[in-house]
Amino acid sequence: MEIFNYPFFKIAFATAFFAGILFGVVSFFVYSRKLAFLGVGISHAAFGGVALGVFFGFSPFFSALIFCVLTAIFIGKISKSAKISVNASVGIFFSLSMAIGAVFISLKRGYSFDLQSYLFGNILAVSQREVFYLVLADVLIVPFLLFFLRRIIYLSFDEESARVSGVKTDFLDYSLLVIFAFIVVLTIKIIGIILVSALVILPGMFAVLVSKSYKSAIAISIVFSVITMTGGLFLSYIANTPPGATITILASSLYFIFLLTYKSLKKY
C-alpha cells in the first residue's frame, strides 16, 4: 500500500475508479443495443480528431471530442436514412478517420507528438482536471441513462413497437451515440485508442452472462469494470507493465474464465 504515498498513483486510482463506473454503466447499454463494433469505430475516429488538433494547433482532446461526436451523428444519420446497418457505417468511418489521422500527422513535420500515449493510454499521466471531467461525466451521464433504462431496453428488443408506443427512438439513439463518443474521447488517454473499445463492451457482456435481471446486470457491470480497472492498475505496478494493456488483459481474462466455467458453476 506504500504506492498510495505517491500523488500520481492516487490520481491514477481515482481515475480508474470513476472510469470504471462510467464504463460499467455505458457498457450495458452498448451491449443491449448491439453497438459493440461502434466502440472500435469511434475510438479510431478519435485518432483522426487528435491528428486534426495537432495539425491546426488546437487541443487534441477537444478536436477529438468534436470529431467523434460528429462521426457518431453521421453514423446514426447514414444508418437510418440510407438503410445501412450501424456496423457497415462504422466500417466506412473507421477507415476514413484513420486515413485522415495518418495524413495530417505526416503533414505536421517537426512536431514532437506523443502518439504512443494516445494509442495505448497512460493512466499514470492523468491530471486532476481530467479526473474532474470523469466525475462530472459520472454525475451527468449515469443518471440520464438510468432514467431512460426501460425505454432503451424496449427500444433494443422491438424498435418499431417502441416507436408506435411513443418512445422517442431517434432521440435515444442519437443520445447514446453522442454519449458513447464523449466517453471514448474522455478515456482514450487512460486506456488508449486501440484498447478502449474492449472496456466499453466487456463489462456489459460479463454482466449479461451472470445476471438474471437488467438492474442486477448494470450493478454487476459496474462492479466488474471497477475491479478490472483498479485491479489492472495494481497489477501493472507489481509487474511493471503498461497499465492500459494490463487492465484490458485482466478484463478479457476474467470474462473468458467465467464464460468457460459458468455452466459448470451453475450446477452447484
Side-chain angles (χ1 to χ4, degrees):
M1 299 301 292
E2 71 277 0
I3 188 64
F4 279 103
N5 293 327
Y6 298 103
F8 75 89
F9 193 84
K10 292 179 182 178
I11 294 174
F13 183 84
T15 300
F17 179 81
F18 290 114
I21 295 174
L22 202 56
F23 278 135
V25 175
V26 172
S27 179
F28 170 77
F29 291 95
V30 169
Y31 183 77
S32 66
R33 288 293 291 140
K34 298 179 177 62
L35 297 175
F37 189 50
L38 183 64
V40 180
I42 297 297
S43 61
H44 286 73
F47 178 67
V50 168
L52 287 171
V54 170
F55 183 79
F56 290 107
F58 302 141
S59 165
F61 172 80
F62 289 109
S63 62
L65 177 60
I66 294 170
F67 192 81
C68 285
V69 168
L70 291 176
T71 298
I73 293 173
F74 279 131
I75 287 172
K77 272 288 187 190
I78 289 177
S79 61
K80 288 181 181 295
S81 61
K83 304 299 182 183
I84 301 173
S85 69
V86 172
N87 285 344
S89 302
V90 169
I92 297 169
F93 283 100
F94 177 106
S95 304
L96 177 62
S97 300
M98 292 298 290
I100 289 173
V103 168
F104 278 95
I105 287 295
S106 66
L107 292 175
K108 191 67 174 180
R109 303 184 187 281
Y111 181 81
S112 179
F113 176 61
D114 186 13
L115 182 60
Q116 189 81 0
S117 65
Y118 279 96
L119 291 178
F120 299 101
N122 186 3
I123 195 171
L124 299 179
V126 173
S127 66
Q128 290 182 338
R129 182 179 62 181
E130 288 163 324
V131 176
F132 171 76
Y133 290 155
L134 281 172
V135 175
L136 187 62
D138 282 332
V139 171
L140 296 177
I141 292 173
V142 173
F144 176 87
L145 292 176
L146 295 180
F147 179 79
F148 288 104
L149 172 62
R150 291 180 181 276
R151 274 164 277 194
I152 295 173
I153 296 300
Y154 191 9
L155 173 64
S156 300
F157 278 98
D158 194 338
E159 186 170 346
E160 289 299 323
S161 296
R163 184 179 290 108
V164 171
S165 300
V167 176
K168 296 180 179 179
T169 56
D170 287 344
F171 168 75
L172 290 177
D173 269 336
Y174 284 116
S175 295
L176 285 174
L177 289 171
V178 171
I179 287 172
F180 192 55
F182 180 78
I183 290 172
V184 166
V185 174
L186 195 61
T187 55
I188 55 174
K189 191 172 180 181
I190 302 169
I191 303 297
I193 290 170
I194 293 176
L195 304 175
V196 71
S197 56
L199 271 297
V200 294
I201 186 60
L202 278 172
M205 291 174 63
F206 178 86
V208 172
L209 176 68
V210 302
S211 64
K212 296 181 179 180
S213 69
Y214 296 119
K215 292 182 179 179
S216 64
I218 293 174
I220 292 170
S221 182
I222 293 172
V223 171
F224 176 87
S225 184
V226 170
I227 288 175
T228 52
M229 288 290 294
T230 55
L233 180 63
F234 277 105
L235 285 176
S236 70
Y237 169 71
I238 294 169
N240 194 26
T241 53
T246 307
I247 290 168
T248 305
I249 290 171
L250 176 61
S252 302
S253 300
L254 287 177
Y255 172 75
F256 285 117
I257 288 171
F258 270 84
L259 181 65
L260 295 173
T261 61
Y262 185 63
K263 290 184 178 180
S264 300
L265 292 173
K266 284 180 69 176
K267 297 179 181 179
Y268 301 97

